Amino acid sequence: MKNHRWHSSLFKLAHAPLNADINVTPLVDVCLVLLIIFMVVTPMLQKGVPINLPVTEDPEKTPDTEKQLQISVKSDGTVYLGSTVVRKEQVPSELEGIHSRTPDREIAVKGDRAVKYGAVLDVLKACREVGFNNVGLIAQPKRAPGQGTP
């Protein structure tokens, strides 16, 4: 009769050398997932329509709130209320509708640096005529020579 010697798993672990290596595969997976999330979310952080803003020395900083309505005037003269395209002749009527719902709403006007001054002025005039009191212009701060682009 053969003599079988049974080994338990515990016996094998006790005599195996310890492995002190760090497994970096899960760390790399988590980092790649976070990178992808940031790459997807970052473009959505800018509110409204992307505009090439004019540069000023020291623009006044105001907090960006949910109550604020962004009106954008692109270089071709297209007007956006939030992210909705509106024809120039419809701007006053759309603003009247917004003013009737929320009369104390803040308005931030973004005008592209290549747009004609009159197009932005027409939007500002429509805001004032409707009755909005808190209307401001958005500009990009001038970068110091030592600062890079964000």
Side-chain angles (χ1 to χ4, degrees):
M1 203 183 240
K2 277 186 171 181
N3 187 2
H4 289 285
R5 186 171 177 157
W6 294 93
H7 296 353
S8 70
S9 299
L10 186 60
F11 179 75
K12 290 179 182 177
L13 287 176
H15 292 303
L18 292 176
N19 186 3
D21 293 338
I22 297 174
N23 189 1
V24 295
T25 305
L27 175 68
V28 170
D29 290 344
V30 169
C31 290
L32 286 174
V33 167
L34 288 174
L35 177 68
I36 290 169
I37 289 171
F38 284 123
M39 288 172 59
V40 170
V41 170
T42 301
M44 290 186 257
L45 292 178
Q46 183 181 9
K47 225 175 165 184
V49 180
I51 298 284
N52 190 10
L53 294 173
V55 179
T56 63
E57 281 295 322
D58 191 22
E60 182 181 327
K61 296 183 182 183
T62 58
D64 196 22
T65 62
E66 291 296 319
K67 209 168 133 176
Q68 189 179 64
L69 172 66
Q70 298 247 345
I71 301 177
S72 305
V73 183
K74 292 191 82 162
S75 59
D76 60 355
T78 310
V79 179
Y80 289 82
L81 293 178
S83 58
T84 309
V85 178
V86 178
R87 290 196 324 253
K88 292 177 191 175
E89 56 272 2
Q90 289 181 322
V91 171
S93 62
E94 292 289 328
L95 287 174
E96 284 177 11
I98 293 170
H99 187 267
S100 66
R101 291 188 299 268
T102 53
D104 60 339
R105 194 160 190 186
E106 297 175 7
I107 305 292
V109 179
K110 296 187 333 182
D112 195 287
R113 69 174 74 169
V115 74
K116 291 186 178 181
Y117 179 70
V120 177
L121 196 61
D122 290 340
V123 171
L124 289 172
K125 182 180 174 189
C127 290
R128 292 290 181 186
E129 286 176 353
V130 167
F132 285 111
N133 294 322
N134 199 355
V135 180
L137 291 171
I138 296 179
Q140 184 175 350
K142 186 175 183 180
R143 301 266 178 237
Q147 293 179 341
T149 56

